[in-house]
Amino acid sequence: MPGQMFGDYRILRLLGQGGMGKVFEAEHGETGRRVALKVMSHALASEQDRKRFLREGRLAASVNHPNVVYIHGSEEIDGVPVITMELVHGGTIKDRLKQEGPLPVAEAVETALHLIAGLEAANNAGVLHRDIKPANCFVTADGTVKVGDFGLSISTLARGESLLTATGSVLGTPAYASPEQLRGEDLDERSDIYSVGATLYHLLTGTTPFPATDFVKLITEVLDKQPAAPHALRREIPAELSKAIQRCLAKDRKARFQSYSELREALLPFRAAAALPANPARRFLASLVDEMAAYAPSMLFLVYWSFDPLDHLARERTLAAALLWAPFFFWYLLYYAVAEGLWGAALGKSICGLRVIGPEGQAPGLPRALLRTAIYQMPYLLPAFLLMAVMPVANLRTALAQQDWLITDSLWLPLLLLLFVTMRRHNGYAALHDLWSGTRVIVRPRTQARPALARPEPAAAPAHSASSPPASAAGSGFATLGPYEIHTSLWRRGDEDLLLAYDPALRRKVWIHRRPLNAAPLSPVLRDLSRAARLRWLNGGRTETQLWDAYDAVEGQSLLYGAVAPAPWNAVRFWLLDLGEELALALKHPDTAPSLALDRVWIAKSGHVVLLDFPCPGLPADTPAQAASNLDGLPAVQRFLDQVAQAALNQTPGSALTAEPVPLHARSFLASLAKGAFEKSEFIIGNLHSLVAKPAQVTRAWRAASLTLAPALMLSVGMLIAGMLSFERVRWERAWNVAYPDKPSLPTVAELYVSSLAGLPETNAFGRDAELTRAFIVHHFSDIITNDAAWERPGLLDEIPEPTRFLLEQALIGHLPPNTANLEEAARVLPERIQELERQTRLVPIWVLLGSGIMVGLFFALLELAGALVFRQSVLLHLFGLALMDRAGQPATRLRLLWRWILTWGLLGAVGFLAAGSSALGIAVDLFPVEEMGDLAASSRGLAWTLGLAFAVLLLAATISTLLHPSRSLQDRLAGTWLVPR
């Protein structure tokens, strides 16, 4: 009853009740702290029930996370087990649904993300909740959502236990329970993922996935029926989000998201957060892949048939030509429109981690994506339709027959570039087709994971034994203080010390801070404090000689312990955010303000920062004591954050770097912090949230993308040219075999004949090779060479130049017919030579591919050289949002960039150029053989293979080094540079 005393607690009001007992808001009589007191039901009097109830406290106490209701302690009062929990004043999500109805999409998703964070922490601690529902999700005053009631779910839905209690009530809520949970099967995290999906369904639609009120019918629907799609019940729910929820609710757990991280990534695009625009280089790289997929049918048609369907339509202007062009046009249109309109990204953008969004921040939808794609196609379509509008068919055909240059042949490129003239950083790099269609291209939201401490230093190393412990605990071998077993002393300073102790009821470690009796007692406000960056007060009291306060012992290490080994910015930015948010709250509530000192900053194993009210344990014995300062306003906040940043990064001005430098986008913030330039704490928090959302370091995927741009261009240009040459050759050979099925290639034989005449005196005398070749020509090709119709037939003999035709005709006249011996020898020798020359001809596309790659590589090498000398930056890296820094953390100088260019482009380029030159020399000697140069050809080929192998080894080593160490590859180490995000 309200006002009744229950042990040391005054019962204030009933908060709720479940299968295991009732939960009251209560106030501790001595400390005044208000808690949620869970009291075991009197109906559950068996020893098994008591064990289950106490196990609830232990399991929930093993999870210490900002999104989980905290367990303060467990005890027995008048023989009744009770659990003391954090009191969350904002009620439950169920209460909010009753008051406000369905939540806005962004708020509902943010709530689900909070639940995922808490459940993921529980899962990492080996705990499955098994009863997630709006009634078990609590909301704090600042909007944080916390998962509660762990023990109830575990105890009632654990393996081998019935869903029913002894009284017949269902433990857990079938409307949110997974099918396998209702069937009594073994459960894993995918069962809780189902419950998260059901809860999010309720938050968005205002109803559960299966709203049946009859218990048996509800169980049947959960097991056998599919719920209605959320966006069918509420139109503003994005279709993608609706599909993600339906995937959570799949009957087969294998069809659901397999982990909380997968579910988080699926929900992130729907939260209310600022989008990161995609930079031009990343968009260009994605477009290379997408254009290859979208234009591939047209390209294959063009390469094989030697005409583009759109050009064919402009030339013919017939229904057949239009029907030929239409499938290619609609494939291109639908490839982009369907993929980007419904899913936000086609293949290229998906690979590059990009996403197209509409005004609401979601996939733009089919109509908007169709408009966007149509605008993007205009540079390709307008020239052709302009040509059809202004030039008659006859004139166009005449111009094409004469191979005249048409303005429309080059008009598409400037029109395409014109689409991108509006791209600016301030408008999110929006092109014209983005602006006119109301779309944007962004980097797909990803979780910026908070780095955990890899190997936290044990804070329990005994400095010396606890002095003057109270009476020994019976049978335990440890001294006790209150309900805790004292294990060791962590530090002692005069009359003050810190002990490591153990709570046998909840099976967790605690810190006990002991002070003299004349010290000021901890204020009730600090005892009741429940903030993520402050240590949890658990209990307190006094002995004859000292005051003591017990706190949750957080595994981790002191900030100063790791200061000798600088922490990466990837972790420090989260630490600064934790501290910034805590100190901003302390400014609003001065009675909760901590004393500020670096030796009180504790880094938890999870990567969160906790501000202690006493010096950290585990510091080296020679660490000087620090004077704690008061939080006397915003300048103190900025001074302290600056001190933490410098201590963590260990990057004092002018010192050489021993860790990765901070990104350029963080340098200005740290400089402003050092100058105390922020006028409001909200400015500090806003900047830190922005920094946490941005990439903190160069990832392997990001670096691989920057490495891919130049090779992708080389490969695409070379493959285009080589493919056209190859298909042209295949098409010619097919046409020749159809026209002359029993004859070898006349152009190949003509080339052999011309080469056999090279170097001979201008007389009627023939060398042996020339005589044999002439005999072969006379025997096989007399009817073709003397047939004017064959020469006028398009496509077959066009590649034989007029001088060569004249030589062929001369081979037939003015000479005696070849004798039988020459014909027989020619028939024996020439086919092998023809095959060898055709083999070399078929290798031409490969050499064209290599040559194109070399030319594009040379272009990029010169571009990078100009960037280093003129712009003091790498152009390619700048396009990908990367910058080069020196050892002092400053932008690299021109001299250092030049040295890096020599190590990267110069060395590889020199070896590659020599390899290509040697190979080209060997090919030239083979094509135009001179007897005296036979040894030179062999030497050139050997040198080419050696240099080519050296080039491949160097390139492979550089690539592997870059991918293994994306921020500092081998060439960066030699050049003294670092790569950081801009």
Side-chain angles (χ1 to χ4, degrees):
M1 295 295 291
Q4 178 182 349
M5 291 299 296
F6 182 58
D8 294 332
Y9 297 93
R10 180 182 301 279
I11 303 298
L12 300 179
R13 63 188 176 105
L14 177 67
L15 295 176
Q17 60 184 10
M20 293 296 291
K22 297 180 180 180
V23 181
F24 299 92
E25 180 180 353
E27 182 180 77
H28 193 271
E30 181 180 349
T31 65
R33 180 171 66 177
R34 293 196 175 187
V35 297
L37 196 67
K38 187 166 188 176
V39 182
M40 180 176 165
S41 172
H42 290 286
L44 305 176
S46 70
E47 184 62 25
Q48 182 181 5
D49 290 333
R50 294 171 65 86
K51 289 180 179 179
R52 289 165 59 193
F53 186 85
L54 292 174
R55 183 175 64 177
E56 169 187 345
R58 290 196 301 271
L59 287 170
S62 68
V63 185
N64 186 359
H65 191 273
N67 295 112
V68 175
V69 173
Y70 189 77
I71 302 298
H72 291 297
S74 177
E75 56 185 307
E76 288 194 13
I77 300 177
D78 297 335
V80 179
V82 299
I83 298 173
T84 309
M85 302 180 295
E86 172 187 2
L87 179 63
V88 184
H89 296 280
T92 66
I93 299 176
K94 180 180 179 181
D95 300 331
R96 185 176 177 187
L97 283 171
K98 286 182 178 180
Q99 296 170 4
E100 304 177 15
L103 304 184
V105 171
E107 291 185 30
V109 170
E110 194 67 36
T111 298
L113 291 172
H114 284 211
L115 297 181
I116 290 170
L119 290 172
E120 189 172 37
N123 187 63
N124 292 338
V127 178
L128 291 175
H129 192 286
R130 307 185 190 186
D131 195 22
I132 287 295
K133 59 183 179 181
N136 284 343
C137 304
F138 301 87
V139 185
T140 65
D142 64 358
T144 301
V145 179
K146 294 175 177 282
V147 179
D149 230 345
F150 273 87
L152 178 63
S153 301
I154 289 293
S155 63
T156 56
L157 300 180
R159 191 183 316 172
E161 295 180 356
S162 172
L163 285 171
L164 301 177
T165 66
T167 60
S169 61
V170 175
L171 295 178
T173 308
Y176 303 92
S178 65
E180 64 268 21
Q181 184 172 320
L182 297 182
R183 289 192 293 263
E185 298 175 0
D186 292 343
L187 304 180
D188 55 29
E189 64 183 299
R190 292 173 293 183
S191 179
D192 279 351
I193 286 175
Y194 179 99
S195 301
V196 172
T199 300
L200 182 55
Y201 190 108
H202 195 174
L203 296 179
L204 288 168
T205 64
T207 183
T208 58
F210 303 99
T213 55
D214 179 76
F215 181 77
V216 175
K217 184 178 180 181
L218 175 60
I219 298 293
T220 303
E221 288 183 350
V222 172
L223 293 176
D224 300 326
K225 293 187 66 176
Q226 295 295 330
H231 72 280
L233 303 179
R234 184 179 171 193
R235 294 183 58 185
E236 56 263 41
I237 298 175
E240 281 185 278
L241 177 58
S242 182
K243 291 178 182 177
I245 296 172
Q246 288 176 292
R247 184 176 172 186
C248 290
L249 298 175
K251 304 299 181 188
D252 184 359
R253 69 179 86 185
K254 294 180 181 178
R256 298 175 201 151
F257 295 101
Q258 298 300 293
S259 66
Y260 291 114
S261 59
E262 281 189 29
L263 177 56
R264 180 187 295 109
E265 297 297 333
L267 297 182
L268 281 176
F270 308 100
R271 72 188 304 190
L276 181 64
N279 60 54
R282 206 164 179 177
R283 289 185 63 170
F284 177 73
L285 195 61
S287 71
L288 286 180
V289 179
D290 280 329
E291 283 296 295
M292 288 180 66
Y295 195 60
S298 297
M299 179 61 65
L300 292 175
F301 189 91
L302 169 65
V303 169
Y304 191 81
W305 294 105
S306 292
F307 67 86
D308 183 84
L310 183 58
D311 290 340
H312 181 67
L313 174 62
R315 182 175 66 248
E316 299 297 328
R317 306 183 197 181
T318 61
L319 178 60
L323 292 176
L324 176 65
W325 166 73
F328 297 100
F329 168 72
F330 284 113
W331 164 255
Y332 189 99
L333 189 68
L334 294 177
Y335 171 81
Y336 279 107
V338 173
E340 295 182 352
L342 300 183
W343 306 303
L347 179 62
K349 290 185 177 64
S350 296
I351 293 174
C352 294
L354 304 183
R355 176 181 169 88
V356 180
I357 60 172
E360 297 81 17
Q362 312 304 330
L366 196 58
R368 198 179 292 275
L370 279 170
L371 174 61
R372 169 188 168 84
T373 309
I375 297 171
Y376 186 70
Q377 275 199 300
M378 285 300 103
Y380 305 100
L381 298 178
L382 282 178
F385 286 104
L386 179 64
L387 199 63
M388 288 188 281
V390 302
M391 182 176 287
V393 176
N395 294 354
L396 176 60
R397 290 178 178 173
T398 301
L400 292 174
Q402 297 175 355
Q403 297 184 347
D404 292 342
W405 177 81
L406 300 173
I407 188 172
T408 53
D409 292 338
S410 305
L411 188 58
W412 67 271
L413 182 58
L415 287 176
L416 180 64
L417 296 177
L418 192 63
L419 289 179
F420 299 94
V421 296
T422 58
M423 295 182 76
R424 300 288 187 278
R425 183 188 295 271
H426 66 80
N427 69 359
Y429 299 111
L432 286 177
H433 52 290
D434 299 320
L435 295 172
W436 291 346
S437 63
T439 59
R440 292 293 186 274
V441 182
I442 64 168
V443 177
R444 184 176 180 86
R446 299 288 184 188
T447 303
Q448 294 291 322
R450 179 189 291 262
L453 291 180
R455 293 183 299 275
E457 294 299 323
H464 47 74
S465 302
S467 61
S468 305
S472 177
S476 67
F478 292 104
T480 61
L481 186 57
Y484 308 114
E485 299 174 352
I486 299 176
H487 284 191
T488 188
S489 174
L490 299 177
W491 56 256
R492 175 184 291 279
R493 296 182 180 179
D495 295 333
E496 183 180 359
D497 64 354
L498 184 68
L499 306 175
L500 177 67
Y502 183 72
D503 183 345
L506 295 180
R507 300 180 183 177
R508 67 182 178 192
K509 296 176 182 179
V510 297
W511 285 331
I512 297 180
H513 183 209
R514 297 195 301 189
R515 295 170 296 147
L517 282 175
N518 58 0
L522 203 64
S523 70
V525 174
L526 294 180
R527 290 177 175 180
D528 201 32
L529 199 59
S530 175
R531 297 207 291 251
R534 300 296 290 275
L535 207 57
R536 297 274 188 172
W537 182 84
L538 302 177
N539 204 342
R542 64 172 59 210
T543 66
E544 295 180 356
T545 58
Q546 288 179 308
L547 299 176
W548 64 272
D549 294 282
Y551 301 86
D552 185 15
V554 180
E555 186 178 2
Q557 68 183 33
S558 167
L559 171 73
L560 294 182
Y561 189 96
V564 294
W569 170 251
N570 189 28
V572 175
R573 57 182 179 156
F574 285 100
W575 303 349
L576 294 177
L577 177 60
D578 291 343
L579 291 172
E581 290 180 334
E582 169 57 34
L583 298 181
L585 288 172
L587 286 178
K588 295 178 181 178
H589 307 283
D591 52 349
T592 68
S595 297
L596 304 181
L598 292 180
D599 64 353
R600 300 189 177 197
V601 179
W602 183 258
I603 312 299
K605 182 181 179 180
S606 63
H608 291 81
V609 166
V610 181
L611 270 176
L612 309 186
D613 291 317
F614 44 80
C616 295
L619 285 173
D622 57 351
T623 303
Q626 295 205 359
S629 60
N630 294 325
L631 183 64
D632 54 3
L634 190 60
V637 172
Q638 299 185 69
R639 283 195 304 271
F640 186 64
L641 292 179
D642 178 52
Q643 291 173 6
V644 171
Q646 289 196 30
L649 296 169
N650 196 16
Q651 293 180 6
T652 55
S655 63
L657 289 177
T658 55
E660 183 177 334
V662 299
L664 288 186
H665 59 253
R667 292 171 60 85
S668 60
F669 168 78
L670 293 176
S672 299
L673 202 63
K675 293 186 294 186
F678 295 105
E679 297 180 355
K680 294 183 178 180
S681 60
E682 289 80 4
F683 295 162
I684 300 175
I685 306 304
N687 272 274
L688 286 169
H689 274 289
S690 175
L691 292 174
V692 163
K694 292 178 180 178
Q697 58 190 4
V698 182
T699 63
R700 287 191 176 93
W702 195 356
R703 191 68 177 98
S706 68
L707 292 176
T708 305
L709 180 60
L713 277 175
M714 296 178 192
L715 189 62
S716 58
V717 171
M719 287 183 64
L720 175 62
I721 299 174
M724 294 183 69
L725 290 175
S726 297
F727 277 104
E728 179 68 28
R729 182 69 185 177
V730 170
R731 189 167 54 251
W732 183 90
E733 289 176 351
R734 182 182 297 126
W736 178 267
N737 290 331
V738 170
Y740 308 105
D742 299 326
K743 294 183 181 295
S745 167
L746 177 56
T748 304
V749 176
E751 187 176 349
L752 281 174
Y753 184 56
V754 172
S755 63
S756 69
L757 295 175
L760 293 177
E762 296 182 3
T763 65
N764 290 332
F766 280 89
R768 186 60 183 165
D769 287 342
E771 184 61 39
L772 292 178
T773 309
R774 188 184 77 82
F776 193 86
I777 291 172
V778 171
H779 180 71
H780 288 280
F781 302 108
S782 296
D783 56 336
I784 299 176
I785 295 172
T786 57
N787 186 356
D788 290 339
W791 290 97
E792 293 174 359
R793 184 175 178 177
L796 286 182
L797 300 177
D798 296 344
E799 60 183 278
I800 299 178
E802 191 63 32
T804 302
R805 178 183 176 182
F806 175 77
L807 290 175
L808 292 174
E809 291 174 345
Q810 290 297 312
L812 302 181
I813 60 176
H815 300 282
L816 293 175
N819 56 45
T820 303
N822 284 346
L823 288 175
E824 290 178 352
E825 186 176 354
R828 187 172 62 254
V829 173
L830 265 295
E832 184 177 347
R833 295 181 182 178
I834 293 171
Q835 290 178 4
E836 176 62 22
L837 186 56
E838 287 182 341
R839 185 188 67 81
Q840 294 178 3
T841 303
R842 291 188 180 95
L843 290 177
V844 168
I846 297 178
W847 296 113
V848 169
L849 175 63
L850 294 176
S852 302
I854 291 172
M855 294 302 295
V856 177
L858 180 61
F859 167 77
F860 277 111
L862 294 176
L863 183 66
E864 286 291 278
L865 179 60
L869 297 179
V870 179
F871 304 108
R872 198 181 165 186
Q873 60 187 353
S874 165
V875 176
L876 282 176
L877 295 178
H878 181 79
L879 288 174
F880 281 89
L882 302 176
L884 285 163
M885 314 292 285
D886 61 18
R887 290 188 176 91
Q890 300 298 320
T893 63
R894 288 183 175 87
L895 184 60
R896 195 174 293 277
L897 290 175
L898 178 60
W899 175 231
R900 185 181 185 274
W901 181 89
I902 293 172
L903 292 170
T904 305
W905 292 91
L907 183 59
L908 280 174
V911 176
F913 181 78
L914 290 174
S918 301
S919 179
L921 179 59
I923 294 172
V925 173
D926 283 338
L927 293 178
F928 306 100
V930 177
E931 186 174 351
E932 293 79 4
M933 299 183 67
D935 293 339
L936 178 61
S939 300
S940 298
R941 284 192 294 270
L943 181 61
W945 278 107
T946 303
L947 291 173
L949 181 60
F951 176 80
V953 170
L954 283 174
L955 182 61
L956 182 63
T959 303
I960 293 176
S961 171
T962 300
L963 295 180
L964 288 177
H965 306 284
S967 297
R968 204 164 196 223
S969 61
L970 178 61
Q971 54 267 38
D972 287 306
R973 293 175 187 273
L974 295 174
T977 54
W978 300 74
L979 262 70
V980 298
R982 295 192 63 81

